[in-house]
Amino acid sequence: MLIAQQHTSVLIVGAGPSGLMMAAQLLRHGVQPIIIDSKQGPTDESKALAVQARSLEIYRQMGVIDRIIDGGKQAGGVAFNYDGKVLAQLSMANTGEGLTKFPFIHLYQQSKNERLLLDFLTINCCPVYWDTNLITVKQVGKQVEVQLQSGTETVSLTADWLIGADGAHSMVRKQLQIPFNGDTYTNEFYLADVELDNQQLSETEVGLYLSKNGFAGFFPMPEAHCYRAIGNLPAGIVATENLQLEDILPHLKEVTQTEIKVVNLKWFTTYRLHHRMADNFRKQSVFLIGDAAHIHSPVGGQGMNTGLQDAYNLGWKLAGVVNNQLKENILDTYAAERMPVAKDLLNTTDKMFKVVMSTSWLTLLFKKWVLPKLLKFVWSKDGIREIFFKRVSQIFIKYRHSAISLQLSNANQVKAGDRLPYLKIFDEKKQEETDLHEWCAKPGFTLIVLGKLQELDLFTLAKWITQNYPANLNFFYLPPSAKNSEVFKTFEVSSEGKKKALIIRPDMHIGLINDVVDIEMMDNYLHNVVGVKNA
């Protein structure tokens, strides 16, 4: 199917999770993109497996969370084994209780994520043009000119903005000659999705097996008796097209000290791992997201989730510019906010990966004798478990130094740039329990006022919003009450008569915190800091 139109506001190259999420976020904010992919259709391969809490919060905001929860299952914990013996078992059940509505790691394959997002696009009348290759990219003035090929036919297209979501081998990135610096790990690995007849493997617990000969991991999948098996190729075995899982099983038995009985093989592949990052995530009218911008080892289940958040961060900003609601310089904050996140992720996963793969005698001793005791001790501390969950779930990510974060408050606990905390609230107006994230479900910014306001003040605020921000500022008011004391405590609204004004960005990060409710100061933030244009 060839694209009929000759121009589009946004062209997305790549219909993996990042590209599909980018399209979905644009659609939520009223922009109809064109999205293409060189593949014949959505992947049938499971690929990424873990969906972290922050991604689940995004899906909840989109209104599709029930399907994900019903179609996956929670990871119950991790068991560390050495030479087949269990050395430590760490429960992950509700590790993030009170921090998010989803205090767990959710197992839900990438292929399911893609189909869910594709259904969202379909409902919003946005097709994916499969079997369509990007041939050339050229930036001319403020536009991008591209040549596309579908089968034997070619088409020329211009776009105001181009999103490179086309993976580690990104043609967009290569065409624009953006360096992709980093390295390739020397080890070769295998991955297999299998149905097993192994009673000793947990249906909910991740099993990690370490030995002097390498490592293996078994990740339970949502379907009964199905696992993702990963590990390093043993010495003497080379990754070739003829390599089969049966060739790996003797080594797998040696590492796990367990007989692995495969009932059904669904997918088997070998691969090498890379850790690389683009020098910049933007070049004029072109942006890079997901694996096109950064790739790293799969330690911690961060890759797909980071790409989803790239799209979540950029989507509302680009939509605001396309819809002529935001000034163009807000787009500078995408790279400024997301590049430090990617850099930190690369450094963290690289260090963890090197420890897992090291075969030095000192590291082997550490993994066998010190690591299990250390893990048990650390995991027994509530504070450390909370820190771990915040990092792996990606709810810890902050943009405090962003150009669009404005802290006009003496509060130290929660600051501008932080993700809006998940806090349950009792809605006095509707007389029902909800939460702050639910208040931010609609597209646009959200103004939340904490404290006692007079009727005249409320009327003045509502009139100001109606006259100046009718399309992009939602308003909620929370007066003091015993049932909402935790909210006031979290935002350090301590004494009677004190107030707090919060402006929440569309991606549920706090843009402004102010210790007073001042219309002129909020106007200044929206117009001069964020760049909201007059209605």
Side-chain angles (χ1 to χ4, degrees), residues 184 246 269 321 377 470:
T184 302
E246 288 75 15
T269 188
V321 172
F377 172 76

Side-chain angles (χ1 to χ4, degrees), residues 51-54 56-57 69 74-75 91-106 389 392-393 395 422:
V51 182
Q52 304 294 354
R54 186 61 177 139
L56 294 173
E57 290 175 354
I69 297 301
Q74 297 180 26
S91 172
M92 287 189 178
N94 297 322
T95 310
E97 195 68 55
L99 301 173
T100 173
K101 188 174 177 67
F102 311 103
F104 46 81
I105 296 174
H106 197 60
F389 180 81
V392 78
S393 67
I395 65 173
Y422 172 76

Side-chain angles (χ1 to χ4, degrees), residues 244-429:
Q244 302 292 323
L245 178 61
E246 288 75 15
D247 302 320
I248 309 296
L249 289 179
H251 178 255
L252 192 55
K253 180 181 178 181
E254 186 180 1
V255 171
T256 62
Q257 295 295 301
T258 302
E259 192 74 44
I260 305 299
K261 302 173 184 176
V262 179
V263 175
N264 182 27
L265 173 63
K266 299 183 178 182
W267 182 37
F268 176 76
T269 188
T270 58
Y271 59 98
R272 299 187 76 170
L273 291 172
H274 309 263
H275 50 118
R276 299 179 185 276
M277 180 171 154
D279 272 11
N280 209 322
F281 289 6
R282 179 188 182 186
K283 190 169 184 179
Q284 296 171 252
S285 302
V286 180
F287 298 88
L288 301 177
I289 64 174
D291 287 355
H294 46 78
I295 53 171
H296 49 83
S297 92
V299 172
Q302 302 292 288
M304 178 180 69
N305 295 275
T306 305
L308 294 175
Q309 286 198 54
D310 287 345
Y312 190 50
N313 182 287
L314 178 58
W316 67 270
K317 298 171 182 175
L318 186 56
V321 172
V322 171
N323 290 328
N324 202 33
Q325 294 173 336
L326 297 175
K327 294 176 183 175
E328 195 174 307
N329 57 4
I330 196 170
L331 298 175
D332 296 335
T333 66
Y334 165 64
E337 291 177 352
R338 295 304 296 170
M339 287 186 74
V341 172
K343 187 175 182 180
D344 176 64
L345 183 60
L346 260 70
N347 289 336
T348 304
T349 55
D350 185 48
K351 289 173 183 174
M352 293 172 64
F353 181 78
K354 285 177 178 175
V355 170
V356 170
M357 292 308 302
S358 176
T359 55
S360 74
W361 66 270
L362 189 60
T363 308
L364 290 173
L365 286 175
F366 171 79
K367 286 190 282 190
K368 186 172 183 178
W369 302 109
V370 180
L371 182 61
K373 292 182 174 61
L374 182 64
L375 287 171
K376 286 179 182 177
F377 172 76
V378 165
W379 207 248
S380 69
K381 308 296 179 185
D382 291 344
I384 295 177
R385 280 204 314 274
E386 182 175 307
I387 291 170
F388 166 82
F389 180 81
K390 284 181 176 179
R391 176 167 278 274
V392 78
S393 67
Q394 301 195 348
I395 65 173
F396 83 104
I397 293 171
K398 300 175 173 66
Y399 306 133
R400 288 184 177 181
H401 301 295
S402 173
I404 54 174
S405 297
L406 185 58
Q407 177 80 4
L408 299 176
S409 170
N410 292 319
N412 292 309
Q413 195 169 330
V414 180
K415 294 189 176 184
D418 293 359
R419 158 192 165 271
L420 179 68
Y422 172 76
L423 293 166
K424 292 182 179 180
I425 49 180
F426 184 75
D427 191 322
E428 303 283 358
K429 186 177 179 181

